[in-house]
Amino acid sequence: MDQAERRDIELDCARLINLYATLNDQARWDDVVTLYAPDGLMTRPTAPEQPIVGHEALLAAFQSRPPRTTQHVCANIVVTAETSDTASATSAMLLFTGPDTPPLVGTYRDRFVRLDGVWLFSERRGALSFQPSR
């Protein structure tokens, strides 16, 4: 793969990470799920040992959340193009859920696949960097 293709992959996958955060904050669950491959896997930063797999399970997991206002901030996004159709990334995440609640600080390790010319998450594994105070 040449430098231009590598940059395109990195830009497309970084955009996917940011789009995920935006749609998540807007509670657009159907749209969030379409960012995953059909057999895509997600683990929440608060439940890294509980994988959720496939569109149906992902949608049910998102819809089961109680309504809330959130603001995700993604940073330190580093995408690695592996092949023309696969990539991986790491990123940092800050999740704000209210003025009286400290933000959650975490990381994501992502795997991407290009299906029919569209980049999708094949895996999105979250973890907390610091456990919240109780």
Side-chain angles (χ1 to χ4, degrees), residues 23-91:
L23 295 173
N24 196 330
D25 290 335
Q26 295 171 353
R28 292 173 52 188
W29 309 132
D30 290 312
D31 294 328
V32 171
V33 170
T34 66
L35 302 179
Y36 283 89
D39 60 348
L41 176 147
M42 173 187 78
T43 64
R44 291 184 170 129
T46 56
E49 302 303 322
Q50 298 172 12
I52 303 163
V53 181
H55 283 183
E56 187 175 314
L58 289 164
L59 184 58
F62 285 119
Q63 289 176 335
S64 71
R65 290 179 171 173
R68 64 181 183 166
T69 299
T70 63
Q71 181 66 62
H72 288 78
V73 178
C74 301
N76 303 345
I77 299 170
V78 178
V79 177
T80 301
E82 296 169 349
T83 71
S84 295
D85 293 315
T86 61
S88 60
T90 59
S91 59

